[in-house]
Amino acid sequence: LSRSEPVFRAAVDRCAEILAGQVDFDVRALLLDERGDPRALAHTAVAQPALFTLSYALAQLWESRGVVPRAMLGHSIGEWVAACLAEVFTLEEALRLVTVRARAMAAQPVGAMLAVGLAEAETRALLGAALDIAALNAPTQTVVAGAETAFAQLEATLTARGVAATRLQTSHAYHSAMMEPAARALAEAFRGVPR
């Protein structure tokens, strides 16, 4: 897309220019340079601004082709892109807040996430105090997050019942109680941001 779509490339460039004073990497090198190290994207503080940039650039490309949404929604970073496109935040503020969010989340203790092939109520009944429901992806697809050490019993129970469960490739327990300190840091960053 970066080679063949000037609108996409311009949007990535714009995000990279805004991010330049906030992060210690060039998002273009991660997204557009085939020689880049994809392992860098395993780090939350890098992945979230990069994912925002990619999603925003794709949205700009669609809009340039006449696809303009009447309503939007998103999950996690997708919510931030939707809010930016809906002009809740400027692109500059959205990228600043995403960067604050990413750093705050990366600063939390490591954790794990598990996609479970059960409905929310069935999954919730199996959770101990150290695990949370992180997402409901479908009526019978729940994501659990929490401390790595808390998953052994849940995984053993699921295996014994023949329930499909897959570890997600994440470094942290996103959308869980383990992220509460990050939520406080983000709330502080929101003070004074016009919406």
Side-chain angles (χ1 to χ4, degrees):
L1 286 174
S2 68
R3 284 191 293 270
S4 62
E5 299 293 345
V7 170
F8 178 87
R9 180 65 182 225
V12 170
D13 285 343
R14 184 165 178 226
C15 290
E17 290 163 9
I18 294 166
L19 286 168
Q22 301 175 50
V23 298
D24 60 357
F25 59 89
D26 184 342
V27 72
R28 290 172 290 212
L30 294 170
L31 297 176
L32 308 179
D33 187 348
E34 295 166 3
R35 295 166 292 156
D37 184 358
R39 292 175 295 182
L41 292 170
H43 302 284
T44 300
V46 175
Q48 291 186 23
L51 182 57
F52 181 96
T53 298
L54 176 63
S55 300
Y56 178 81
L58 286 169
Q60 294 302 300
L61 177 60
W62 281 114
E63 285 190 13
S64 76
R65 299 220 170 134
V67 180
V68 180
R70 282 189 244 156
M72 290 178 279
L73 60 88
H75 174 72
S76 197
I77 290 297
E79 292 173 296
W80 291 85
V81 176
C84 180
L85 295 171
E87 299 179 356
V88 174
F89 306 110
T90 65
L91 179 60
E92 292 78 8
E93 282 298 338
L95 283 167
R96 184 183 72 78
L97 292 168
V98 164
T99 301
V100 167
R101 176 186 190 261
R103 284 187 184 134
M105 292 173 86
Q108 302 316 304
V110 297
M113 299 181 78
L114 182 72
V116 178
L118 291 174
E120 176 185 10
E122 294 173 281
T123 304
R124 194 173 298 282
L126 301 174
L127 301 184
L131 296 174
D132 297 305
I133 299 291
L136 304 172
N137 290 337
T140 59
Q141 190 58 249
T142 306
V143 177
V144 176
E148 172 72 42
T149 56
F151 278 95
Q153 179 60 45
L154 175 61
E155 288 177 312
T157 300
L158 294 170
T159 299
R161 293 184 182 187
V163 175
T166 305
R167 285 284 184 123
L168 303 182
Q169 291 185 11
T170 64
S171 57
H172 291 77
Y174 303 115
H175 308 287
S176 76
M178 290 181 73
M179 290 292 126
E180 287 178 14
R184 288 191 295 274
L186 185 57
E188 183 62 34
F190 262 96
R191 292 187 200 283
V193 175
R195 292 183 283 287

